Amino acid sequence: MSHAPLSLAQLHALDADGFTAALDGIYEHSPWIARAAWAQRPFHTLPQLKAALAKVVREASEAEQLALIRAHPELAGKAAVAGALTAESTDEQSRAGLTHCSPEQFALLQQLNADYNARFGWPFILAVRGPRGQGLSREQIIATFQRRLRHTPEFERAECLRHIHRIAEIRLNDRFGLTPTLGNQVWDWAEALAAHTEGLPATEGGPCPLTVTYMSTAHQACARQLVDWMRDAGFDEVGIDAVGNVVGRYHGSDPQAPALLTGSHYDTVRNGGKYDGRLGILVPMACVRELHRQGRRLRHGIEVVGFAEEEGQRYAATFLGSGALVGDFKPAWLDQVDAEGITMRQALQAAGFSASLDDIAALRRDPARYLGFVEVHIEQGPVLDEHDMPLGIVTSINGVLRMTGTALGTACHAGTTPMGMRQDAALAVAELMLYTEQRARQDSGSPAGASVGTVGVLHVPQGSINVVPGRCDFTLDLRAPTNEQRDALARDVLACAREVAKRRGVEIHIQESVRASASPSHPAWQARWEAAVQRLGLPLFHLPSGAGHDAMKLHEILPQAMLFVRGGHAGISHNPLETITNDDAQLCVDAFMHLLESL
């Protein structure tokens, strides 16, 4: 493409027509977007311009959004064959190899185009240069095409718009001559770390399954890899502690000044994603790498911890790594047994650790030596992606209450027992489930944030198609941004259980299994994240964290605050489809660096 590199200063000097012409081709055949964004000048940063353009599309009418989608060509479609693509689309489809399809791939793409258009009424939109900007493979494109054919029209329309924004972002980078160098580094580190897995090889075109459980061979390989990278990045001290945490320290200019503690976990759920936890290690690593490259020392030191375990996959112990740092490693954990009969103590010793409780107890951090704890994490939900927000400020980590329950009725013949004479245990639980959903929705307008309620397990033991259920086992998971809001939700759900049991003539027994307090962000540290995000030119977006994080444990001894980055594919997580872009990774690094400099 022949566009000369632009600068924001040049863009600001233009009138509406000139501004629109300068951004021609950023959004396919849709100059109205740039023209509408012109009124939002001045743009101090490129991310601010990107956000303004996305805001125009988000606030457009449905008809305008559909027109934007339909302005895009099909992948390897008629326009490509006829040579009628824009220069930008030609370059993108060529980078993805769509101009060199085999006859079989070309025929499949034509059929997918036809099936997609018949289902949705618009062309399939995919940012074919991908999350790293280098181009997806033809196999990845076909696999994504097939997966998205299963979406609902409403969801798919939103997903098309998200891909259009990603296409525009990459085109803007090209137009302004911008390369997200540190974002690429974080993305590449995550990709390389994912090579260590207990999972099966990737299917053709599909994401690689990733499983890294505590003290497995893959887990130990990840730890060694992180150690090597930290040393290469310029950390002054790097090591692996008594529970497998990887710890890197970059000294400050004042040896007496307290350090900033940060990090996240490097273990994964089974068949998980590449960024959950790991992003919170790699982003501060990139910052230290950059400080070291520049020969800079900040007054306060930085301690980055790759926590060895958070997910509770191999053993029934969660937050094992961060728990050790707050003095909450329970001795009984060492005697827990995995699915193969191996105790945690044996697993540690086989990996070369002492499994000594004295060594583990010595890991407890002295709060007086630290300013606080901050954590960067992928959101693991759809909210940021839905609102076109790359970064979000976490206001609180939700408090959790988990319960197990059993409803006991009377098992009887499904054909001969009238509906009004049944004591159906499953229907009693079904009614409780629906109430839980309804009651949690009532908190959607809460100033602290919404509540959520989930019945994740529902089981009728020895159930039969022609028997009224006499027993139903279930679980309840209730979460809210404050303990008070969570407990109010629980009280109402339990009251409903009593009322349903009485009215239906069944017994419902519910027992609490887990209670974790909410962890509100420390106001001063939350304000530091807000200032960092504002320096990027991005609007502030606040949200609670529905998932638990290592910051919950550090909250017990230190002030903490978190920064979320959006995940692609509508924020899916704990799934191989979990993804982020190199541009969003760059924003994380930049925000973290701003936070460091503010200290």
Side-chain angles (χ1 to χ4, degrees):
M1 290 177 285
S2 59
H3 293 290
L6 268 179
S7 71
L8 290 173
Q10 290 171 326
L11 204 59
H12 291 156
L14 299 173
D15 61 13
D17 290 339
F19 184 95
T20 302
L23 297 182
D24 178 56
I26 299 299
Y27 283 89
E28 195 88 355
H29 300 301
S30 302
W32 59 271
I33 299 171
R35 183 172 291 277
W38 177 79
Q40 299 181 47
R41 297 172 309 151
F43 302 110
H44 302 292
T45 66
L46 189 56
Q48 185 181 11
L49 173 60
K50 293 174 182 178
L53 292 165
K55 183 173 183 282
V56 170
V57 176
R58 188 169 59 255
E59 294 178 352
S61 67
E62 182 177 333
E64 289 171 320
Q65 292 176 349
L66 286 172
L68 170 62
I69 293 171
R70 291 177 176 134
H72 287 71
E74 293 180 333
L75 296 183
K78 295 176 182 177
V81 173
L85 297 178
T86 63
E88 291 85 1
S89 288
T90 299
D91 175 66
E92 288 155 0
Q93 295 205 22
S94 176
R95 288 192 192 211
L98 292 175
T99 53
H100 299 87
C101 290
S102 68
E104 294 78 16
Q105 289 173 328
F106 185 77
L108 178 55
L109 282 167
Q110 298 307 301
Q111 185 60 56
L112 288 169
N113 276 323
D115 292 345
Y116 186 94
N117 217 308
R119 174 164 170 72
F120 298 112
W122 58 74
F124 175 69
I125 310 296
L126 178 66
V128 293
R129 283 180 61 180
R132 176 62 163 76
Q134 294 178 315
L136 299 173
S137 69
R138 292 188 293 275
E139 292 76 17
Q140 288 174 316
I141 291 168
I142 289 169
T144 304
F145 218 143
Q146 293 168 328
R147 175 175 56 82
R148 282 175 51 186
L149 269 168
R150 300 193 296 268
H151 289 164
T152 64
E154 182 180 17
F155 181 92
E156 186 58 18
R157 178 165 61 88
E159 187 73 350
C160 284
L161 292 173
R162 287 189 281 267
H163 277 273
I164 287 172
H165 291 315
R166 175 58 180 161
I167 293 167
E169 177 167 63
I170 293 172
R171 292 178 179 180
L172 279 168
N173 289 349
D174 292 343
R175 192 72 56 89
F176 281 80
L178 174 73
T179 299
T181 304
L182 296 177
N184 287 341
Q185 180 64 77
V186 168
W187 202 94
D188 292 344
W189 274 335
E191 194 75 10
L193 199 60
H196 306 295
T197 178
E198 305 160 46
L200 299 172
T203 56
E204 187 176 32
C208 180
L210 180 62
T211 300
V212 178
T213 60
Y214 189 56
M215 288 300 145
S216 65
T217 301
H219 186 270
Q220 295 172 60
C222 285
R224 290 192 297 270
Q225 182 69 82
L226 289 171
V227 166
D228 289 344
W229 285 340
M230 285 185 176
R231 285 177 176 152
D232 291 343
F235 283 82
D236 298 297
E237 300 176 51
V238 182
I240 300 176
D241 71 18
V243 296
N245 295 328
V246 180
V247 183
R249 296 185 180 94
Y250 187 69
H251 296 159
S253 60
D254 180 355
Q256 304 304 315
L260 176 66
L261 186 62
T262 186
S264 194
H265 61 97
Y266 64 89
D267 69 320
T268 75
V269 297
R270 289 180 172 84
N271 208 28
K274 301 174 184 176
Y275 305 96
D276 175 11
R278 296 166 174 213
L279 192 65
I281 307 168
L282 304 178
V283 166
M285 270 177 51
C287 291
V288 168
R289 183 175 181 267
E290 188 65 7
L291 288 170
H292 179 71
R293 186 188 68 80
Q294 297 172 6
R296 294 177 61 196
R297 294 277 176 182
L298 305 178
R299 177 170 179 258
H300 299 275
I302 306 162
E303 182 174 327
V304 181
V305 182
F307 294 112
E309 196 284 332
E310 186 253 21
E311 298 286 7
Q313 296 292 294
R314 184 175 181 182
Y315 297 100
T318 56
F319 301 110
L320 187 156
S322 51
L325 267 62
V326 302
D328 191 27
F329 186 97
K330 296 174 174 55
W333 285 351
L334 292 174
D335 297 316
Q336 289 185 354
V337 178
D338 70 6
E340 297 179 358
I342 300 170
T343 67
M344 187 185 296
R345 179 181 286 102
Q346 291 170 331
L348 279 163
Q349 291 171 341
F353 296 90
S354 68
S356 161
L357 286 173
D358 289 340
D359 291 344
I360 295 171
L363 302 181
R364 189 182 190 281
R365 298 300 195 264
D366 177 3
R369 295 179 55 201
Y370 296 93
L371 292 166
F373 179 81
V374 294
E375 182 175 1
V376 173
H377 207 283
I378 191 169
E379 181 202 350
Q380 298 186 280
V383 177
L384 292 176
D385 206 31
E386 175 71 19
H387 289 84
D388 302 316
M389 293 291 175
L391 301 178
I393 310 296
V394 178
T395 55
S396 178
I397 304 171
N398 281 0
V400 181
L401 183 60
R402 290 178 180 166
M403 294 175 275
T404 57
T406 298
L408 299 174
T410 302
C412 53
H413 198 292
T416 61
T417 309
M419 297 301 293
M421 300 177 68
R422 300 182 179 201
Q423 291 84 46
D424 189 321
L427 282 180
V429 177
E431 188 172 342
L432 181 62
M433 287 174 66
L434 290 173
Y435 175 80
T436 300
E437 177 190 37
Q438 171 197 336
R439 174 59 184 80
R441 284 178 180 270
Q442 290 178 15
D443 290 338
S444 59
S446 168
S451 301
V452 291
T454 305
V455 176
V457 175
L458 193 66
H459 176 58
V460 176
Q462 300 177 327
S464 179
I465 194 170
N466 61 349
V467 177
V468 175
R471 176 176 176 140
C472 184
D473 298 324
F474 63 98
T475 60
L476 281 165
D477 183 302
L478 307 177
R479 305 186 187 214
T482 67
N483 293 337
E484 294 76 16
Q485 188 170 316
R486 175 204 62 195
D487 292 345
L489 172 63
R491 283 195 299 273
D492 289 348
V493 169
L494 293 174
C496 175
R498 291 190 294 270
E499 189 276 327
V500 168
K502 181 177 180 181
R503 175 164 42 81
R504 288 184 172 272
V506 301
E507 298 176 32
I508 298 180
H509 303 282
I510 298 176
Q511 183 174 359
E512 183 177 313
S513 57
V514 173
R515 179 182 290 265
S517 293
S519 303
S521 297
H522 189 277
W525 285 99
Q526 180 177 316
R528 288 187 174 99
W529 278 128
E530 290 167 347
V533 170
Q534 285 179 314
R535 284 189 64 183
L536 299 175
L538 293 173
L540 295 182
F541 189 90
H542 297 87
L543 72 168
S545 172
H549 299 290
D550 289 299
M552 292 180 73
K553 293 304 295 183
L554 275 302
H555 180 83
E556 296 175 15
I557 64 168
L558 291 170
Q560 63 80 26
M562 294 185 68
L563 179 73
F564 273 171
V565 61
R566 69 177 157 195
H569 300 145
I572 193 168
S573 186
H574 283 186
N575 185 301
L577 290 173
E578 178 182 277
T579 187
I580 65 168
T581 67
N582 56 347
D583 284 275
D584 286 358
Q586 180 73 46
L587 290 173
C588 279
V589 176
D590 291 342
F592 204 107
M593 192 66 86
H594 289 325
L595 180 139
L596 291 175
E597 291 169 342
S598 75
L599 302 179

